[in-house]
Amino acid sequence: MAVDYDLVVLGATGAGIATARRAIAQGLKVALVQQTISPLRDQQRCALEKVLLYLAAQPQPVDIAAWIKGAIAPDDFYEPLARLAETGVDVIPELGQFRWRPQVSFVTETRCLRGKHYAIAPGTAWTTPPQENFLSPDALLDADIWPTLPEKITIVGQDSHCLTIAYCLAKFGKTVTLIAEKFLFPTEDPDYVGNLQTFLEVAGVTLQFANTDPCQELLAQANQAVIWAESRRGLTTQLNLPPDFCRPPQMFLRVNGQLQTPQKNIYGCGPVLGGYDLPELAIAEATTLVVNLSQRRQLSCPYTTTPYRLFAPLPFDHVGIQNSHLPPDGRFLSKMFPLDRVDQLQFPQELTIKLWLNAQDQLLGATVLGDRSGKLIYHCRDLIQTHKPFQTWDNFLENAGLLAEMVW
């Protein structure tokens, strides 16, 4: 079968651009179909978080709308696509869908693209709010929304992005209620999630856990804004995929450990797979996908050695496996350290570490909560990769370069 490209990437998202960038660097002929009228919407959300966290740390009130308008100008997010085109990627600013016969191709408004391989990376979108007057989290990307927000705000959802928004709104003086189902992060360590919940409550966020639909109760409350982020859905329905490619009802893409869909030359990466919407995971998936294509390998995505951060205001980092995924002889160690911040004229802060070990004391996973967690979590990643056994806390912290900062 004649092909036009080695790889056709579907989606102008962080994952899509990372995939295209790595593929072109490996000498592959690459096309990227934008597949959205709002490219890099996931990167706009990241930019919004960074702006809000910066403003939340300011001692004096600031003009939030002006800052957002300056930081999230929509035209700025076309620049990565332009830079990608300069490297040789054929960037196609259109939408399209698969055509399966007589041979597989991807058809846009003006093109019929035949690829040796395809990478599906269109990202996700928030499910539609049940009421017209409810806001989607993406509505906050519009700077004009911010001056209209009332004093009382309710957020429905437990996504990492929502937690950051709730924290920042509380720091701006809003009365914030966060409604979630049972737990904030059901797959993470419950003790550390409890610490995170306490942090949010101290910051001024009221947490409510509801087993029933909160919609009717919210409708009965006046003079408040409701931000509806109950769940996400994969942007796959417009691609004309066979039914076995997706997992209803959210329509996330179904892939194996090598990121292959039921058709082996079609891959997936990014939050459309249904995992956390985090850049660290998307980059790991993009790297694995391109290595497998360019080197004809069958590597699984290294999720167990990819550190990720779930919450930035109180750094909450994890790497590896934990809890129910441990082997029968697995165990854990946990310790809390105050950090010595006297030199910076700040109050001491706590750093809490939980390590999951096998019977040979080799590290299998780690969760770190608090300041300096980023440095430690990558040290834990290195220990998992090298299979070095845990010895003592002194040795662990010294090798991470943090021993001198601890208060014993």
Side-chain angles (χ1 to χ4, degrees):
M1 180 186 75
V3 296
D4 304 312
Y5 300 95
D6 296 309
L7 178 64
V8 177
V9 181
L10 311 176
T13 60
I17 287 180
T19 301
R21 184 180 293 123
R22 283 157 175 75
I24 200 74
Q26 292 297 317
L28 303 180
K29 188 176 182 181
V30 183
L32 183 142
V33 181
Q34 188 168 296
Q35 202 59 24
T36 176
I37 59 174
S38 301
L40 287 170
R41 178 54 63 95
D42 55 341
Q43 302 302 296
Q44 293 181 41
R45 296 179 193 131
C46 290
L48 176 65
E49 284 190 27
K50 291 179 180 179
V51 170
L52 295 181
L53 287 170
Y54 173 78
L55 299 180
Q58 302 308 304
Q60 301 295 329
V62 293
D63 187 342
I64 300 172
W67 273 85
I68 292 175
K69 189 171 293 185
I72 312 181
D75 291 346
D76 292 346
F77 291 88
Y78 285 92
E79 184 178 344
L81 295 174
R83 290 202 301 266
L84 202 62
E86 291 172 357
T87 67
V89 175
D90 187 3
V91 177
I92 302 167
E94 299 176 4
L95 287 77
Q97 62 180 9
F98 280 101
R99 178 186 293 166
W100 299 99
R101 294 180 181 179
Q103 61 187 31
V104 177
S105 59
F106 194 81
V107 180
T108 71
E109 298 169 11
T110 63
R111 304 278 297 274
C112 178
L113 309 171
R114 295 171 297 177
K116 187 176 182 180
H117 303 278
Y118 299 85
I120 299 175
T124 60
W126 302 102
T127 53
T128 304
Q131 298 293 326
E132 292 184 1
N133 58 330
F134 289 1
L135 299 174
S136 164
D138 284 349
L140 300 179
L141 294 169
D142 182 358
D144 295 333
I145 287 288
W146 286 84
T148 69
L149 291 177
E151 179 67 22
K152 186 177 180 181
I153 299 174
T154 297
I155 300 176
V156 180
Q158 54 198 44
D159 181 272
S160 172
H161 179 69
C162 295
L163 299 190
T164 301
I165 296 295
Y167 168 81
C168 293
L169 287 170
K171 298 297 285 185
F172 296 148
K174 302 293 186 182
T175 301
V176 181
T177 300
L178 180 71
I179 301 177
E181 294 182 8
K182 298 181 181 179
F183 305 104
L184 292 183
F185 295 119
T187 61
E188 304 298 326
D189 183 76
D191 294 335
Y192 283 53
V193 173
N195 291 343
L196 174 59
Q197 291 175 188
T198 300
F199 176 83
L200 286 169
E201 290 170 339
V202 170
V205 178
T206 300
L207 297 176
Q208 292 182 8
F209 297 97
N211 294 321
T212 58
D213 184 3
C215 183
Q216 294 303 319
E217 180 181 345
L218 292 172
L219 287 173
Q221 301 177 20
N223 302 319
Q224 70 164 343
V226 176
I227 299 173
W228 192 268
E230 189 177 37
S231 62
R232 295 176 182 266
R233 58 180 176 83
L235 295 175
T236 56
T237 55
Q238 58 186 337
L239 296 175
N240 189 32
L241 295 173
D244 61 338
F245 271 55
C246 300
R247 294 179 281 123
Q250 287 87 7
M251 302 306 291
F252 293 131
L253 197 65
R254 181 181 284 117
V255 297
N256 62 16
Q258 293 76 43
L259 305 177
Q260 294 170 308
T261 66
Q263 182 144 332
K264 299 307 181 183
N265 71 324
I266 301 179
Y267 296 75
C269 65
V272 73
L273 304 186
Y276 290 133
D277 186 1
L278 298 173
E280 305 96 312
L281 300 180
I283 289 172
E285 291 161 354
T287 302
T288 301
L289 191 159
V290 172
V291 167
N292 284 343
L293 292 185
S294 61
Q295 301 179 17
R296 297 184 179 181
R297 304 178 70 179
Q298 287 290 313
L299 299 177
S300 294
C301 188
Y303 291 115
T304 57
T305 55
T306 302
Y308 56 83
R309 174 162 290 182
L310 284 170
F311 188 65
L314 177 66
F316 188 126
D317 296 336
H318 179 76
V319 66
I321 63 175
Q322 57 181 316
N323 296 329
S324 62
H325 298 287
L326 291 175
D329 57 358
R331 66 188 183 95
F332 71 86
L333 297 175
S334 183
K335 199 168 184 66
M336 184 275 290
F337 300 95
L339 284 172
D340 186 0
R341 303 297 296 274
V342 175
D343 292 342
Q344 300 181 33
L345 300 179
Q346 296 185 22
F347 291 108
Q349 298 185 21
E350 293 181 354
L351 178 70
T352 310
I353 309 169
K354 194 169 210 176
L355 307 178
W356 284 271
L357 311 170
N358 63 15
Q360 291 74 43
D361 285 339
Q362 294 171 329
L363 192 63
L364 301 175
T367 296
V368 187
L369 186 67
D371 200 22
R372 297 293 191 274
S373 66
K375 194 171 185 179
L376 266 178
I377 207 67
Y378 278 93
H379 177 56
C380 292
R381 187 272 313 269
D382 294 342
L383 290 178
I384 293 173
Q385 291 177 327
T386 57
H387 307 290
K388 291 182 178 179
F390 175 85
Q391 297 177 9
T392 65
W393 285 109
D394 274 2
N395 175 266
F396 175 78
L397 294 170
E398 184 176 9
N399 289 333
L402 289 175
L403 183 61
E405 299 183 48
M406 301 299 165
V407 180
W408 292 81

